[in-house]
Amino acid sequence: MRLALDTREVGHVTIVQCNGRIVAGGESDSLRAHVAWLLRDRRSIVLHLGDVGFIDSSGLGTIVRTLTSTRQARGDLKLCNVPEHVRKVLEMSHLTKLFDTHESEEKAVAAFYRPEARTEKPVLSGRSVLVLDKNADVLAYLRELLRRAGYDVHTSNRMGDALILMRVTRFDLLLLGHEVTASPTAQQAFKDKCAGVSVIELGSEFSTCDAGEATSGLLEKIAACFNPKTA
C-alpha cells in the first residue's frame, strides 16, 4: 500500500497521519517533502504512525531526517500511536531516546502546550482565542485577522480536536462556526467544556456576507466581550 498522508491542524500543532508503508523511494520522498512544505510556516508537528503497516531502514532514516530538519527550523516533531512492530524497530535501532513518543494524539498535542516545549514561543501575548469552524477558508482568514489584531489564535475544524485543545490549555474566548457536528457524546463533552468560556457564534451568514462588514462586526463583538464596560 502506498503511503497516504492526512494532515490537519489542532491549534498550534499539525498532525500528519501516515497510512501505508514508509519505505525507500517515493514513500520516503513524499513524507520528507511534505514535512519540508509544512515547515514553511509551522513548527509543531506530530506523526501519527498507527496505520503504518511496514517501515524499512530507509523509512526509519527518513523519520530521523525529518526530526532533524524540524529541529533545525527551531521546531519539534513527536510521534504518536506507534504500532508495536515500529516500536520494536526503534528499540533495536536504539532510537527510542531520540524520539518523543506518545500513546495518543491528545497526549502529543498536550506535550507541545507545556511551558518547556522545544518549539518557538508564540510572539503574541494577547487574549487566547479558539476558533472552531468546518470551513478551512474561514479558519485561515480568522487566524490571520485575529493574529494581526494581537490575539493568540488557535483553530480547528473538528469538535473532537477542539476538545483536545480545551483539555490541554485555557482559552479566553471561543468563536463557534455554523453546523459543526460531532457524536452526541462529543457534543455533550464540548458543551461541558464551554461552560466557563465566553462564546461568540459566527452564524451561517459569516462566510458569505460582505467581508468588511463581517470583519468589523466580529471585532466589535470580541472587544465587547473582553471590555464590556468600554466597548
Side-chain angles (χ1 to χ4, degrees):
M1 180 188 297
R2 293 188 62 82
L3 181 65
L5 302 173
D6 180 19
T7 303
R8 71 185 201 275
E9 292 186 21
V10 182
H12 292 162
V13 180
T14 301
I15 297 177
V16 180
Q17 186 159 352
C18 304
N19 191 320
R21 295 153 47 94
I22 305 179
V23 296
E27 283 77 6
S28 289
D29 293 342
S30 65
L31 176 58
R32 190 162 52 248
H34 186 65
V35 173
W37 178 78
L38 292 175
L39 288 174
R40 296 180 307 167
D41 58 2
R42 309 176 213 193
R43 294 294 180 269
S44 304
I45 298 174
V46 174
L47 290 187
H48 185 301
L49 302 181
D51 294 318
V52 172
F54 179 79
I55 187 169
D56 64 9
S57 296
S58 179
L60 186 58
T62 291
I63 296 178
V64 173
R65 290 178 61 189
T66 299
L67 173 65
T68 300
S69 61
T70 304
R71 288 183 174 173
Q72 287 175 342
R74 299 178 65 187
D76 201 9
L77 180 144
K78 303 182 188 299
L79 308 180
C80 78
N81 297 77
V82 180
E84 185 61 24
H85 65 92
V86 176
R87 190 181 303 277
K88 287 181 178 179
V89 173
L90 292 175
E91 292 174 352
M92 291 172 58
S93 307
H94 304 289
L95 293 175
T96 51
K97 293 183 179 180
L98 176 64
F99 293 103
D100 184 12
T101 62
H102 298 269
E103 63 184 27
S104 68
E105 290 180 348
E106 180 168 344
K107 291 186 176 180
V109 171
F112 275 115
Y113 275 81
R114 295 184 190 126
E116 69 274 15
R118 175 187 294 269
T119 50
E120 286 186 311
K121 302 299 181 184
V123 296
L124 300 175
S125 58
R127 300 279 195 144
S128 183
V129 180
L130 172 61
V131 185
L132 173 60
D133 194 287
K134 63 182 181 180
N135 189 317
D137 292 331
V138 168
L139 290 180
Y141 170 61
L142 290 179
R143 187 162 52 241
E144 291 306 313
L145 169 69
L146 297 178
R147 282 176 179 171
R148 293 177 184 276
Y151 297 107
D152 179 19
V153 189
H154 306 243
T155 61
S156 176
N157 64 358
R158 300 184 184 185
M159 188 173 289
D161 290 342
L163 265 173
I164 290 176
L165 291 170
M166 296 179 80
R167 287 173 182 143
V168 303
T169 192
R170 177 187 173 279
F171 295 100
D172 298 304
L173 175 66
L174 168 66
L175 300 185
L176 182 60
H178 181 61
E179 292 185 346
V180 180
T181 60
S183 68
T185 300
Q187 288 183 359
Q188 184 59 51
F190 183 76
K191 181 179 180 180
D192 293 342
K193 276 292 182 182
C194 290
V197 181
S198 298
V199 179
I200 294 176
E201 295 187 2
L202 296 177
S204 59
E205 73 286 350
F206 181 82
S207 62
T208 56
C209 66
D210 179 79
E213 294 179 1
T215 298
S216 60
L218 178 61
L219 291 177
E220 287 177 2
K221 288 181 181 179
I222 295 174
C225 180
F226 288 144
N227 305 287
K229 295 181 179 180
T230 59

